[in-house]
Amino acid sequence: MTGITERVLQSSVRAQARSVPSVMMNLVEEVGELARALNRPYRCDEPSIAEIADVINCAVDLAYMLEIQEYLSPRVYDPKDIAETVKRRLEYFVDKKCDKWDSIVKKLEEK
C-alpha cells in the first residue's frame, strides 16, 4: 500500500494548473466541512474521517504548490522531483513534531 503522502503527491503531480491561493482556499473550505461533520454530522454527506482525508489531501497539495513556488526561479523543475522533496520534508517535520508531542505527553505522564 502506498503511504498517504506519496498517494496525495501522485495526484498533485497530475493535477491541472492551480495556484497557492486557490489550494489554500480549498484547504480552508475542507476544514470548514470537517468542522460541520464534527458539529452537525446529520447535515453531512460524508463521515468526519472522509473530511479529514480531504484536509490531508489539501494540506499535502499545498506543501507541493509551495515547493513549486520556491523552484520557480529561472531553473527548470521536474514535478516528480518536487514531489519527492515534499515527501522527504514532510516526513522530517512530522517526525520532529511527533517527537515534540511525545515528550510533552511523557512529561504529563510523569506528573
Side-chain angles (χ1 to χ4, degrees), residues 60-105:
V60 172
D61 190 42
L62 181 60
Y64 176 78
M65 294 299 295
L66 291 169
E67 196 69 28
I68 284 178
Q69 209 172 43
E70 287 191 26
Y71 272 77
L72 279 181
S73 352
R75 300 183 356 198
V76 175
Y77 65 91
D78 176 0
K80 290 181 181 178
D81 289 342
I82 292 175
E84 189 56 39
T85 299
V86 170
K87 181 180 172 218
R88 270 195 324 275
R89 292 184 73 200
L90 280 174
E91 287 172 353
Y92 169 79
F93 284 107
V94 166
D95 283 343
K96 190 173 180 175
K97 297 292 182 173
C98 285
D99 288 345
K100 181 179 177 182
W101 188 9
D102 291 343
S103 71
I104 291 169
V105 169

Side-chain angles (χ1 to χ4, degrees), residues 8-74:
V8 174
L9 288 169
Q10 288 171 355
S11 293
S12 293
V13 167
R14 288 192 311 268
Q16 296 298 313
R18 60 209 179 286
S19 65
V20 169
S22 71
V23 174
M24 182 63 200
M25 293 296 198
N26 285 340
L27 176 58
V28 170
E29 181 181 341
E30 296 301 343
V31 169
E33 289 177 14
L34 173 59
R36 179 180 297 200
L38 293 171
N39 292 324
R40 295 187 177 101
Y42 53 89
R43 289 188 172 182
C44 297
D45 296 333
E46 294 187 311
S48 56
I49 193 74
E51 298 302 343
I52 290 169
D54 286 340
V55 169
I56 291 169
N57 288 347
C58 287
V60 172
D61 190 42
L62 181 60
Y64 176 78
M65 294 299 295
L66 291 169
E67 196 69 28
I68 284 178
Q69 209 172 43
E70 287 191 26
Y71 272 77
L72 279 181
S73 352

